[in-house]
Amino acid sequence: NDTFAIRLMGELTRRVPGLKTEMAGFKRCVNPTLDRYLHEPCLDDMAMMYSSADFYLSGSRIEGSPLPPLESMACGCIPAVTRIGSEEYLEDEVNGIVLDADKPQEALDRILAVYADDGLRRSLMRNALRTARQRPWSMVCEAFEGMLYAMRS
């Protein structure tokens, strides 16, 4: 849900002084509120983006795999995402923030609350990193394979 994410980033930029916004994707995107857009990024680009970010934001309504939030967690980034694709490992206000894409004002308020609370932000980052370390790629692959098999049935 690019519209949700772009609008939310625009509003965050207006409210958080010095905030930098970056986005990556496979569609071409021109948006004056973004500081940078990576078109068709490679894995190294994504790792650099996650590592330099405080939040990974996704308003996804459908997800092909649950990997992007987990990848961001492995880089110490707080996922602020919809429940889609992250339900297996993301705990709201423990290791990330679960957003409702149908409630953009609530999503904005929740992210701003984390920005305002340095202790909470550090705790979420620490717990996100811990979660990623507890989920080795072999476990992630097995879970993804199980999901694919379940879809076939």
Short mmCIF file of all heavy atoms in Angstrom, two decimals, residues 20-82:
data_model
loop_
_atom_site.label_atom_id
_atom_site.label_comp_id
_atom_site.label_asym_id
_atom_site.label_seq_id
_atom_site.Cartn_x
_atom_site.Cartn_y
_atom_site.Cartn_z
N LYS A 20 14.74 12.00 7.62
CA LYS A 20 15.04 11.65 6.23
C LYS A 20 14.15 10.47 5.85
O LYS A 20 13.99 9.52 6.63
CB LYS A 20 16.50 11.24 6.07
CG LYS A 20 17.48 12.32 6.46
CD LYS A 20 17.51 13.41 5.44
CE LYS A 20 18.57 14.43 5.78
NZ LYS A 20 18.18 15.77 5.54
N THR A 21 13.56 10.53 4.67
CA THR A 21 12.70 9.44 4.22
C THR A 21 13.27 8.82 2.95
O THR A 21 13.67 9.53 2.03
CB THR A 21 11.27 9.93 3.94
OG1 THR A 21 11.31 11.00 3.00
CG2 THR A 21 10.59 10.41 5.22
N GLU A 22 13.33 7.50 2.96
CA GLU A 22 13.80 6.74 1.82
C GLU A 22 12.81 5.64 1.53
O GLU A 22 12.15 5.13 2.44
CB GLU A 22 15.17 6.12 2.10
CG GLU A 22 16.25 7.14 2.35
CD GLU A 22 17.60 6.50 2.62
OE1 GLU A 22 17.66 5.29 2.87
OE2 GLU A 22 18.60 7.23 2.57
N MET A 23 12.73 5.27 0.28
CA MET A 23 11.82 4.22 -0.13
C MET A 23 12.50 3.40 -1.21
O MET A 23 13.31 3.92 -1.97
CB MET A 23 10.52 4.85 -0.65
CG MET A 23 9.41 3.90 -0.87
SD MET A 23 7.91 4.87 -1.26
CE MET A 23 6.73 3.56 -1.32
N ALA A 24 12.16 2.13 -1.26
CA ALA A 24 12.70 1.25 -2.29
C ALA A 24 11.56 0.46 -2.89
O ALA A 24 10.57 0.15 -2.22
CB ALA A 24 13.73 0.30 -1.69
N GLY A 25 11.69 0.13 -4.16
CA GLY A 25 10.66 -0.65 -4.81
C GLY A 25 11.01 -0.96 -6.24
O GLY A 25 12.06 -0.59 -6.75
N PHE A 26 10.09 -1.66 -6.86
CA PHE A 26 10.31 -2.08 -8.24
C PHE A 26 9.50 -1.27 -9.23
O PHE A 26 9.65 -1.41 -10.43
CB PHE A 26 10.04 -3.59 -8.38
CG PHE A 26 11.05 -4.38 -7.62
CD1 PHE A 26 10.80 -4.81 -6.33
CD2 PHE A 26 12.29 -4.64 -8.17
CE1 PHE A 26 11.76 -5.51 -5.62
CE2 PHE A 26 13.25 -5.34 -7.48
CZ PHE A 26 12.99 -5.77 -6.20
N LYS A 27 8.62 -0.40 -8.72
CA LYS A 27 7.91 0.54 -9.57
C LYS A 27 8.69 1.84 -9.58
O LYS A 27 9.35 2.19 -8.62
CB LYS A 27 6.51 0.82 -9.03
CG LYS A 27 5.57 -0.35 -9.09
CD LYS A 27 4.17 0.09 -8.74
CE LYS A 27 3.94 0.04 -7.26
NZ LYS A 27 2.58 0.42 -6.87
N ARG A 28 8.61 2.56 -10.66
CA ARG A 28 9.23 3.88 -10.68
C ARG A 28 8.39 4.80 -9.81
O ARG A 28 7.17 4.73 -9.79
CB ARG A 28 9.29 4.41 -12.11
CG ARG A 28 10.18 3.57 -13.00
CD ARG A 28 10.86 4.42 -14.05
NE ARG A 28 11.75 3.62 -14.86
CZ ARG A 28 13.02 3.38 -14.56
NH1 ARG A 28 13.55 3.90 -13.48
NH2 ARG A 28 13.77 2.65 -15.35
N CYS A 29 9.08 5.66 -9.07
CA CYS A 29 8.38 6.53 -8.14
C CYS A 29 9.03 7.90 -8.14
O CYS A 29 10.24 8.01 -7.98
CB CYS A 29 8.42 5.94 -6.73
SG CYS A 29 7.67 6.98 -5.48
N VAL A 30 8.24 8.91 -8.34
CA VAL A 30 8.71 10.28 -8.21
C VAL A 30 7.83 10.92 -7.15
O VAL A 30 6.62 11.02 -7.32
CB VAL A 30 8.59 11.06 -9.54
CG1 VAL A 30 8.99 12.50 -9.34
CG2 VAL A 30 9.42 10.39 -10.62
N ASN A 31 8.44 11.28 -6.04
CA ASN A 31 7.68 11.88 -4.96
C ASN A 31 8.56 12.93 -4.29
O ASN A 31 9.60 12.59 -3.72
CB ASN A 31 7.25 10.81 -3.95
CG ASN A 31 6.30 11.37 -2.93
OD1 ASN A 31 6.60 12.35 -2.27
ND2 ASN A 31 5.14 10.75 -2.81
N PRO A 32 8.14 14.17 -4.33
CA PRO A 32 8.97 15.25 -3.78
C PRO A 32 9.15 15.19 -2.27
O PRO A 32 10.05 15.82 -1.73
CB PRO A 32 8.24 16.52 -4.19
CG PRO A 32 6.84 16.10 -4.47
CD PRO A 32 6.91 14.67 -4.91
N THR A 33 8.33 14.41 -1.55
CA THR A 33 8.48 14.34 -0.09
C THR A 33 9.58 13.35 0.31
O THR A 33 10.01 13.36 1.46
CB THR A 33 7.17 13.93 0.61
OG1 THR A 33 6.81 12.61 0.22
CG2 THR A 33 6.05 14.90 0.27
N LEU A 34 10.04 12.50 -0.62
CA LEU A 34 11.08 11.52 -0.31
C LEU A 34 12.46 12.13 -0.48
O LEU A 34 12.71 12.87 -1.43
CB LEU A 34 10.97 10.30 -1.22
CG LEU A 34 9.73 9.43 -1.09
CD1 LEU A 34 9.74 8.35 -2.17
CD2 LEU A 34 9.64 8.80 0.28
N ASP A 35 13.37 11.80 0.42
CA ASP A 35 14.75 12.22 0.25
C ASP A 35 15.46 11.36 -0.78
O ASP A 35 16.35 11.82 -1.48
CB ASP A 35 15.51 12.14 1.59
CG ASP A 35 15.02 13.19 2.56
OD1 ASP A 35 15.17 14.38 2.24
OD2 ASP A 35 14.46 12.83 3.61
N ARG A 36 15.05 10.08 -0.85
CA ARG A 36 15.68 9.19 -1.81
C ARG A 36 14.75 8.03 -2.13
O ARG A 36 14.03 7.53 -1.26
CB ARG A 36 16.99 8.64 -1.23
CG ARG A 36 17.74 7.74 -2.19
CD ARG A 36 19.12 7.42 -1.68
NE ARG A 36 19.07 6.44 -0.62
CZ ARG A 36 20.01 5.53 -0.42
NH1 ARG A 36 21.08 5.49 -1.18
NH2 ARG A 36 19.92 4.68 0.57
N TYR A 37 14.76 7.62 -3.39
CA TYR A 37 14.01 6.44 -3.83
C TYR A 37 14.97 5.51 -4.57
O TYR A 37 15.65 5.93 -5.50
CB TYR A 37 12.85 6.81 -4.75
CG TYR A 37 12.08 5.59 -5.21
CD1 TYR A 37 11.14 5.00 -4.36
CD2 TYR A 37 12.31 5.01 -6.45
CE1 TYR A 37 10.45 3.86 -4.75
CE2 TYR A 37 11.62 3.88 -6.84
CZ TYR A 37 10.69 3.31 -5.99
OH TYR A 37 10.01 2.18 -6.38
N LEU A 38 15.05 4.27 -4.11
CA LEU A 38 15.89 3.28 -4.77
C LEU A 38 15.01 2.41 -5.67
O LEU A 38 14.13 1.70 -5.17
CB LEU A 38 16.60 2.39 -3.75
CG LEU A 38 17.67 3.05 -2.91
CD1 LEU A 38 18.21 2.09 -1.87
CD2 LEU A 38 18.80 3.53 -3.80
N HIS A 39 15.25 2.49 -6.95
CA HIS A 39 14.49 1.67 -7.91
C HIS A 39 15.24 0.37 -8.13
O HIS A 39 16.44 0.37 -8.42
CB HIS A 39 14.32 2.44 -9.23
CG HIS A 39 13.55 1.70 -10.24
ND1 HIS A 39 14.12 1.25 -11.41
CD2 HIS A 39 12.26 1.30 -10.27
CE1 HIS A 39 13.21 0.62 -12.11
NE2 HIS A 39 12.07 0.64 -11.44
N GLU A 40 14.55 -0.74 -7.94
CA GLU A 40 15.13 -2.08 -8.11
C GLU A 40 16.43 -2.23 -7.31
O GLU A 40 17.49 -2.52 -7.86
CB GLU A 40 15.34 -2.40 -9.58
CG GLU A 40 14.05 -2.43 -10.36
CD GLU A 40 14.22 -2.80 -11.83
OE1 GLU A 40 15.33 -3.18 -12.25
OE2 GLU A 40 13.22 -2.73 -12.55
N PRO A 41 16.35 -2.08 -5.99
CA PRO A 41 17.56 -2.14 -5.17
C PRO A 41 18.12 -3.57 -5.07
O PRO A 41 17.37 -4.55 -5.11
CB PRO A 41 17.07 -1.68 -3.81
CG PRO A 41 15.63 -2.11 -3.79
CD PRO A 41 15.14 -1.91 -5.20
N CYS A 42 19.43 -3.67 -4.91
CA CYS A 42 20.06 -4.97 -4.66
C CYS A 42 20.05 -5.22 -3.15
O CYS A 42 19.70 -4.33 -2.37
CB CYS A 42 21.48 -5.00 -5.22
SG CYS A 42 22.63 -3.91 -4.35
N LEU A 43 20.44 -6.40 -2.73
CA LEU A 43 20.43 -6.74 -1.31
C LEU A 43 21.33 -5.83 -0.48
O LEU A 43 20.99 -5.46 0.64
CB LEU A 43 20.82 -8.21 -1.11
CG LEU A 43 19.82 -9.23 -1.66
CD1 LEU A 43 20.36 -10.64 -1.49
CD2 LEU A 43 18.46 -9.08 -1.01
N ASP A 44 22.49 -5.47 -1.02
CA ASP A 44 23.38 -4.57 -0.30
C ASP A 44 22.74 -3.20 -0.09
O ASP A 44 22.89 -2.59 0.98
CB ASP A 44 24.71 -4.41 -1.04
CG ASP A 44 25.59 -5.64 -0.96
OD1 ASP A 44 25.37 -6.48 -0.06
OD2 ASP A 44 26.49 -5.77 -1.81
N ASP A 45 22.01 -2.70 -1.09
CA ASP A 45 21.30 -1.42 -0.96
C ASP A 45 20.28 -1.50 0.17
O ASP A 45 20.17 -0.57 0.98
CB ASP A 45 20.56 -1.05 -2.25
CG ASP A 45 21.47 -0.66 -3.39
OD1 ASP A 45 22.62 -0.25 -3.13
OD2 ASP A 45 21.02 -0.79 -4.56
N MET A 46 19.54 -2.61 0.21
CA MET A 46 18.52 -2.76 1.24
C MET A 46 19.16 -2.85 2.63
O MET A 46 18.66 -2.23 3.57
CB MET A 46 17.64 -3.99 0.97
CG MET A 46 16.78 -3.85 -0.27
SD MET A 46 15.76 -2.35 -0.32
CE MET A 46 14.76 -2.55 1.14
N ALA A 47 20.25 -3.59 2.76
CA ALA A 47 20.92 -3.70 4.06
C ALA A 47 21.40 -2.32 4.53
O ALA A 47 21.26 -1.98 5.71
CB ALA A 47 22.08 -4.68 3.97
N MET A 48 21.95 -1.54 3.61
CA MET A 48 22.40 -0.19 3.97
C MET A 48 21.22 0.69 4.38
O MET A 48 21.30 1.46 5.33
CB MET A 48 23.18 0.44 2.82
CG MET A 48 24.58 -0.13 2.68
SD MET A 48 25.54 0.51 1.29
CE MET A 48 25.23 2.26 1.33
N MET A 49 20.12 0.56 3.65
CA MET A 49 18.94 1.37 3.96
C MET A 49 18.39 0.98 5.33
O MET A 49 18.11 1.85 6.16
CB MET A 49 17.88 1.19 2.88
CG MET A 49 16.67 2.09 3.08
SD MET A 49 15.40 1.88 1.83
CE MET A 49 16.05 2.89 0.53
N TYR A 50 18.23 -0.32 5.58
CA TYR A 50 17.73 -0.77 6.88
C TYR A 50 18.65 -0.31 8.01
O TYR A 50 18.19 0.13 9.07
CB TYR A 50 17.65 -2.29 6.94
CG TYR A 50 16.59 -2.96 6.08
CD1 TYR A 50 16.86 -4.18 5.49
CD2 TYR A 50 15.34 -2.40 5.88
CE1 TYR A 50 15.92 -4.84 4.71
CE2 TYR A 50 14.39 -3.04 5.10
CZ TYR A 50 14.68 -4.27 4.52
OH TYR A 50 13.75 -4.91 3.76
N SER A 51 19.96 -0.44 7.81
CA SER A 51 20.92 -0.12 8.86
C SER A 51 20.96 1.36 9.21
O SER A 51 21.31 1.73 10.33
CB SER A 51 22.32 -0.58 8.45
OG SER A 51 22.37 -1.97 8.36
N SER A 52 20.59 2.21 8.28
CA SER A 52 20.62 3.64 8.54
C SER A 52 19.26 4.17 9.02
O SER A 52 19.15 5.35 9.34
CB SER A 52 21.06 4.41 7.29
OG SER A 52 20.07 4.30 6.28
N ALA A 53 18.26 3.31 9.08
CA ALA A 53 16.90 3.74 9.40
C ALA A 53 16.54 3.48 10.86
O ALA A 53 17.07 2.55 11.48
CB ALA A 53 15.90 3.02 8.50
N ASP A 54 15.64 4.29 11.39
CA ASP A 54 15.04 4.01 12.70
C ASP A 54 13.85 3.08 12.54
O ASP A 54 13.59 2.23 13.38
CB ASP A 54 14.57 5.31 13.37
CG ASP A 54 15.72 6.18 13.82
OD1 ASP A 54 16.80 5.64 14.12
OD2 ASP A 54 15.54 7.41 13.86
N PHE A 55 13.09 3.29 11.45
CA PHE A 55 11.88 2.53 11.21
C PHE A 55 11.88 1.93 9.81
O PHE A 55 12.39 2.53 8.87
CB PHE A 55 10.63 3.42 11.29
CG PHE A 55 10.28 3.86 12.67
CD1 PHE A 55 10.74 5.06 13.17
CD2 PHE A 55 9.48 3.07 13.48
CE1 PHE A 55 10.43 5.49 14.44
CE2 PHE A 55 9.16 3.48 14.76
CZ PHE A 55 9.63 4.69 15.24
N TYR A 56 11.27 0.75 9.70
CA TYR A 56 10.91 0.18 8.40
C TYR A 56 9.39 0.28 8.36
O TYR A 56 8.70 -0.26 9.22
CB TYR A 56 11.35 -1.29 8.29
CG TYR A 56 10.69 -2.02 7.14
CD1 TYR A 56 11.11 -1.80 5.85
CD2 TYR A 56 9.63 -2.88 7.37
CE1 TYR A 56 10.49 -2.44 4.78
CE2 TYR A 56 9.01 -3.53 6.30
CZ TYR A 56 9.44 -3.30 5.03
OH TYR A 56 8.83 -3.93 3.97
N LEU A 57 8.84 0.99 7.41
CA LEU A 57 7.42 1.24 7.32
C LEU A 57 6.82 0.47 6.16
O LEU A 57 7.33 0.54 5.03
CB LEU A 57 7.18 2.75 7.13
CG LEU A 57 5.75 3.21 6.89
CD1 LEU A 57 4.88 2.89 8.10
CD2 LEU A 57 5.74 4.71 6.62
N SER A 58 5.75 -0.26 6.42
CA SER A 58 5.04 -0.96 5.36
C SER A 58 3.54 -0.95 5.66
O SER A 58 3.13 -1.28 6.77
CB SER A 58 5.52 -2.41 5.25
OG SER A 58 4.71 -3.13 4.32
N GLY A 59 2.78 -0.58 4.67
CA GLY A 59 1.32 -0.60 4.79
C GLY A 59 0.73 -1.73 3.99
O GLY A 59 -0.40 -1.66 3.53
N SER A 60 1.48 -2.81 3.85
CA SER A 60 1.09 -3.92 2.99
C SER A 60 -0.26 -4.53 3.38
O SER A 60 -0.53 -4.76 4.56
CB SER A 60 2.18 -5.00 3.05
OG SER A 60 1.90 -6.03 2.16
N ARG A 61 -1.06 -4.79 2.38
CA ARG A 61 -2.33 -5.49 2.58
C ARG A 61 -2.22 -6.95 2.12
O ARG A 61 -3.07 -7.76 2.41
CB ARG A 61 -3.45 -4.79 1.82
CG ARG A 61 -3.75 -3.41 2.38
CD ARG A 61 -4.90 -2.77 1.63
NE ARG A 61 -5.12 -1.42 2.05
CZ ARG A 61 -5.87 -1.06 3.09
NH1 ARG A 61 -6.44 -1.98 3.82
NH2 ARG A 61 -6.03 0.21 3.38
N ILE A 62 -1.17 -7.24 1.39
CA ILE A 62 -0.89 -8.60 0.94
C ILE A 62 0.63 -8.74 0.87
O ILE A 62 1.31 -7.82 0.45
CB ILE A 62 -1.54 -8.92 -0.42
CG1 ILE A 62 -1.35 -10.38 -0.77
CG2 ILE A 62 -1.04 -8.00 -1.50
CD1 ILE A 62 -2.21 -10.84 -1.95
N GLU A 63 1.14 -9.85 1.33
CA GLU A 63 2.60 -10.01 1.38
C GLU A 63 2.97 -11.37 0.84
O GLU A 63 2.41 -12.38 1.26
CB GLU A 63 3.07 -9.84 2.83
CG GLU A 63 4.55 -9.72 3.00
CD GLU A 63 5.15 -8.54 2.28
OE1 GLU A 63 4.73 -7.40 2.51
OE2 GLU A 63 6.06 -8.76 1.46
N GLY A 64 3.90 -11.38 -0.08
CA GLY A 64 4.36 -12.63 -0.66
C GLY A 64 5.26 -13.42 0.27
O GLY A 64 5.29 -14.63 0.25
N SER A 65 6.00 -12.72 1.11
CA SER A 65 6.84 -13.38 2.09
C SER A 65 6.98 -12.46 3.29
O SER A 65 6.87 -11.24 3.17
CB SER A 65 8.21 -13.70 1.51
OG SER A 65 9.02 -12.56 1.48
N PRO A 66 7.25 -13.04 4.46
CA PRO A 66 7.37 -12.22 5.66
C PRO A 66 8.79 -11.71 5.90
O PRO A 66 9.14 -11.36 7.01
CB PRO A 66 6.97 -13.21 6.76
CG PRO A 66 7.42 -14.53 6.25
CD PRO A 66 7.22 -14.47 4.75
N LEU A 67 9.61 -11.65 4.87
CA LEU A 67 11.02 -11.34 5.07
C LEU A 67 11.37 -9.87 5.29
O LEU A 67 12.24 -9.58 6.11
CB LEU A 67 11.84 -11.92 3.92
CG LEU A 67 11.82 -13.44 3.82
CD1 LEU A 67 12.68 -13.89 2.65
CD2 LEU A 67 12.26 -14.09 5.10
N PRO A 68 10.81 -8.90 4.58
CA PRO A 68 11.28 -7.51 4.77
C PRO A 68 11.27 -7.01 6.22
O PRO A 68 12.27 -6.45 6.67
CB PRO A 68 10.39 -6.69 3.84
CG PRO A 68 10.06 -7.65 2.73
CD PRO A 68 9.88 -8.97 3.45
N PRO A 69 10.19 -7.22 6.99
CA PRO A 69 10.27 -6.75 8.38
C PRO A 69 11.37 -7.46 9.17
O PRO A 69 12.07 -6.83 9.96
CB PRO A 69 8.89 -7.08 8.95
CG PRO A 69 7.99 -7.12 7.76
CD PRO A 69 8.84 -7.69 6.66
N LEU A 70 11.54 -8.76 8.94
CA LEU A 70 12.57 -9.51 9.65
C LEU A 70 13.97 -9.06 9.22
O LEU A 70 14.88 -8.93 10.05
CB LEU A 70 12.39 -11.01 9.40
CG LEU A 70 13.21 -11.94 10.29
CD1 LEU A 70 12.90 -11.72 11.76
CD2 LEU A 70 12.93 -13.39 9.90
N GLU A 71 14.15 -8.77 7.94
CA GLU A 71 15.43 -8.24 7.46
C GLU A 71 15.74 -6.92 8.14
O GLU A 71 16.87 -6.66 8.55
CB GLU A 71 15.39 -8.04 5.94
CG GLU A 71 15.34 -9.32 5.15
CD GLU A 71 15.02 -9.10 3.67
OE1 GLU A 71 14.65 -7.96 3.29
OE2 GLU A 71 15.12 -10.06 2.91
N SER A 72 14.72 -6.05 8.25
CA SER A 72 14.94 -4.76 8.91
C SER A 72 15.30 -4.95 10.38
O SER A 72 16.16 -4.25 10.91
CB SER A 72 13.71 -3.85 8.75
OG SER A 72 12.63 -4.28 9.55
N MET A 73 14.66 -5.92 11.04
CA MET A 73 14.96 -6.21 12.44
C MET A 73 16.40 -6.66 12.60
O MET A 73 17.06 -6.30 13.58
CB MET A 73 14.00 -7.29 12.96
CG MET A 73 12.56 -6.83 13.04
SD MET A 73 11.44 -8.22 13.31
CE MET A 73 11.10 -8.02 15.05
N ALA A 74 16.90 -7.44 11.65
CA ALA A 74 18.28 -7.93 11.72
C ALA A 74 19.28 -6.79 11.64
O ALA A 74 20.43 -6.93 12.06
CB ALA A 74 18.53 -8.93 10.58
N CYS A 75 18.85 -5.64 11.13
CA CYS A 75 19.72 -4.46 11.03
C CYS A 75 19.45 -3.47 12.16
O CYS A 75 19.96 -2.34 12.14
CB CYS A 75 19.50 -3.78 9.67
SG CYS A 75 20.03 -4.79 8.28
N GLY A 76 18.64 -3.86 13.15
CA GLY A 76 18.38 -2.99 14.29
C GLY A 76 17.32 -1.94 14.04
O GLY A 76 17.19 -0.98 14.79
N CYS A 77 16.54 -2.14 13.01
CA CYS A 77 15.51 -1.18 12.61
C CYS A 77 14.16 -1.64 13.20
O CYS A 77 13.89 -2.83 13.29
CB CYS A 77 15.47 -1.19 11.08
SG CYS A 77 14.39 0.00 10.35
N ILE A 78 13.34 -0.71 13.60
CA ILE A 78 12.02 -1.02 14.16
C ILE A 78 11.02 -1.19 13.02
O ILE A 78 10.79 -0.24 12.26
CB ILE A 78 11.51 0.10 15.08
CG1 ILE A 78 12.48 0.34 16.23
CG2 ILE A 78 10.12 -0.23 15.61
CD1 ILE A 78 12.20 1.61 17.02
N PRO A 79 10.39 -2.35 12.89
CA PRO A 79 9.35 -2.48 11.87
C PRO A 79 8.05 -1.83 12.35
O PRO A 79 7.61 -2.07 13.47
CB PRO A 79 9.18 -4.00 11.70
CG PRO A 79 9.69 -4.59 12.96
CD PRO A 79 10.68 -3.63 13.54
N ALA A 80 7.50 -0.97 11.54
CA ALA A 80 6.19 -0.37 11.77
C ALA A 80 5.36 -0.83 10.57
O ALA A 80 5.44 -0.25 9.49
CB ALA A 80 6.29 1.15 11.84
N VAL A 81 4.64 -1.92 10.77
CA VAL A 81 4.03 -2.63 9.64
C VAL A 81 2.62 -3.09 9.97
O VAL A 81 2.22 -3.14 11.13
CB VAL A 81 4.89 -3.87 9.26
CG1 VAL A 81 6.31 -3.46 8.86
CG2 VAL A 81 4.96 -4.89 10.39
N THR A 82 1.89 -3.45 8.92
CA THR A 82 0.59 -4.08 9.13
C THR A 82 0.83 -5.51 9.61
O THR A 82 1.94 -6.03 9.54
CB THR A 82 -0.23 -4.10 7.83
OG1 THR A 82 0.50 -4.82 6.83
CG2 THR A 82 -0.53 -2.69 7.34
#
